[in-house]
Amino acid sequence: MSMNNSKRRSHIELNRRFVGWCTREGVDVKSNDEVFFIDDNMLIRPEYLLNDLIYVDILKVGEFNPDNIKYYQDFANSFGTIIVIKEEYMSELDDITKQHLIDKHDIFI
């Protein structure tokens, strides 16, 4: 199996897992096609939109850059709530419920 096939399968598995969580929790999910200009140096295209309210970006291993947190904060201030999930923590999604996000983090989905 080539490296590209391995990465593609990993990406498909991440998406399947996230969409499966949304289905189990009764959260409407759709792919996001919009690209957002944060400033002259950064574009953000979150992968998903939950209930037409909350953006979700799933970062593959090695994609997270702590310097980019500022851009995600700017995104949230300008365009709306964004949830960033690192691939390394995707397994923890099974321990989180929609109600948990509503109660603990005041995120309405």
Side-chain angles (χ1 to χ4, degrees):
M1 175 180 349
S2 76
M3 188 58 130
N4 284 340
N5 284 342
S6 177
K7 285 182 180 180
R8 186 177 8 230
R9 285 185 180 162
S10 175
H11 185 70
I12 290 169
E13 176 59 25
L14 287 175
N15 289 321
R16 184 194 65 76
R17 189 173 207 162
F18 179 73
V19 171
W21 179 88
C22 291
T23 301
R24 277 191 314 278
E25 294 299 322
V27 176
D28 180 45
V29 61
K30 64 182 176 183
S31 292
N32 172 54
D33 296 325
E34 289 186 86
V35 177
F36 299 90
F37 292 88
I38 305 304
D39 66 15
D40 293 340
N41 299 315
M42 180 61 92
L43 299 171
I44 294 180
R45 184 187 163 273
E47 291 185 67
Y48 296 103
L49 184 59
L50 304 180
N51 290 351
D52 292 322
L53 295 172
I54 298 172
Y55 294 92
V56 176
D57 203 12
I58 300 173
L59 302 178
K60 282 49 145 203
V61 171
E63 286 185 353
F64 178 74
N65 179 346
D67 296 336
N68 290 345
I69 290 174
K70 175 196 175 309
Y71 295 116
Y72 285 110
Q73 290 170 333
D74 290 347
F75 178 98
N77 290 332
S78 297
F79 304 107
T81 302
I82 184 167
I83 298 172
V84 179
I85 304 171
K86 291 170 60 175
E87 177 181 1
E88 301 92 296
Y89 300 113
M90 188 62 88
S91 63
E92 294 178 25
L93 195 58
D94 295 334
D95 299 328
I96 299 171
T97 65
K98 174 182 173 180
Q99 196 61 47
H100 174 88
L101 293 175
I102 293 169
D103 294 343
K104 186 170 182 176
H105 301 287
D106 201 28
I107 296 175
F108 180 72
I109 43 180

